Amino acid sequence: MIYRETTLKDAWLIELEPRGDERGSFARSMCREEFLQHGMAGDYVQQNTSVSAQRGTLRGLHYQIQPYAEAKLIRCIRGAIVDVIVDLREDSPSYLQHEAFELTDRNRHQLYVPPGFAHSFQTLVDDTEVSYLVSAPYTPHAERGLRFNDELLGIVWPLPVSTMSDKDRAWPLIDERVEKLF
């Protein structure tokens, strides 16, 4: 695997290194020891799969508060997405900054999202499937989110939003919050 630093502290874009022969190819997509060497979570407790039927579907921006914060390892296994992460760690030099990454079934890139980040993605094509490992179990009372169109974040989505959950549309704006983000 090739580990590429991002503009956001502790987040990584990971490129697989497939090895091929007449059968096809093989590549490692997760290695505990390598992840730990890069300061990443090495243990994951669940794997989630998301299937979106329609191009323009937006999911997120989701995160869990302490002590249930989770690292995620995101990969698009069918179709294409733009994945957006936001650093919510107040002591980080990249606090409230975001970065976008195109993850597709063709480029096979993965995105490591550290604890303390909000995560979201928008599908670029119909019938897109995303799979991700999570380092902490889903804990409903610890779930939080950011509004996808919060002007304070200034995220420019590549497509108009075609589909989104009511919950994701209703997350409060950062300026309206009474509790700390993370």
Side-chain angles (χ1 to χ4, degrees):
M1 290 176 282
I2 301 168
Y3 297 83
R4 306 250 185 240
E5 290 185 83
T6 70
T7 63
L8 304 179
K9 184 170 176 29
D10 303 321
W12 293 87
L13 185 66
I14 302 167
E15 296 177 19
L16 302 185
E17 293 184 288
R19 308 284 186 240
D21 60 22
E22 67 278 354
R23 299 168 296 167
S25 66
F26 171 86
R28 283 186 308 154
S29 58
M30 192 279 188
C31 176
R32 182 179 190 276
E33 288 74 27
E34 286 184 24
F35 279 22
L36 292 174
Q37 288 172 2
H38 286 86
M40 300 162 46
D43 296 312
Y44 296 89
V45 299
Q46 68 186 47
Q47 182 171 6
N48 301 325
T49 300
S50 167
V51 177
S52 300
Q54 192 174 10
R55 174 182 190 254
T57 298
L58 198 143
R59 296 177 184 262
L61 297 150
H62 303 144
Y63 64 99
Q64 290 192 165
I65 58 171
Q66 295 287 15
Y68 308 100
E70 55 194 5
K72 295 178 181 177
L73 183 63
I74 315 293
R75 184 165 175 213
C76 181
I77 58 176
R78 184 175 65 237
I81 63 172
V82 166
D83 200 294
V84 175
I85 57 176
V86 179
D87 189 349
L88 302 180
R89 304 168 301 170
E90 288 183 357
D91 61 342
S92 172
S94 54
Y95 177 62
L96 288 186
Q97 294 177 25
H98 72 275
E99 191 169 355
F101 305 87
E102 188 169 311
L103 307 178
T104 73
D105 58 3
R106 289 185 181 263
N107 70 21
R108 295 186 178 115
H109 292 171
Q110 298 182 117
L111 181 63
Y112 173 77
V113 183
F117 277 63
H119 169 255
S120 182
F121 65 86
Q122 185 178 43
T123 59
L124 300 176
V125 298
D126 291 343
D127 194 29
T128 294
E129 186 171 357
V130 175
S131 180
Y132 53 101
L133 299 175
V134 183
S135 68
Y138 173 67
T139 308
H141 71 273
E143 182 183 23
R144 301 290 187 278
L146 303 177
R147 182 99 50 91
F148 76 105
N149 59 354
D150 192 322
E151 289 183 12
L152 187 61
L153 297 174
I155 298 170
V156 177
W157 298 98
L159 300 171
V161 175
S162 62
T163 307
M164 175 186 276
S165 72
D166 291 339
K167 177 176 74 173
D168 286 347
R169 283 190 195 282
W171 292 117
L173 298 171
I174 292 172
D175 287 343
E176 296 173 353
R177 299 208 177 239
V178 294
E179 67 179 3
K180 286 177 50 173
L181 286 173
F182 181 72

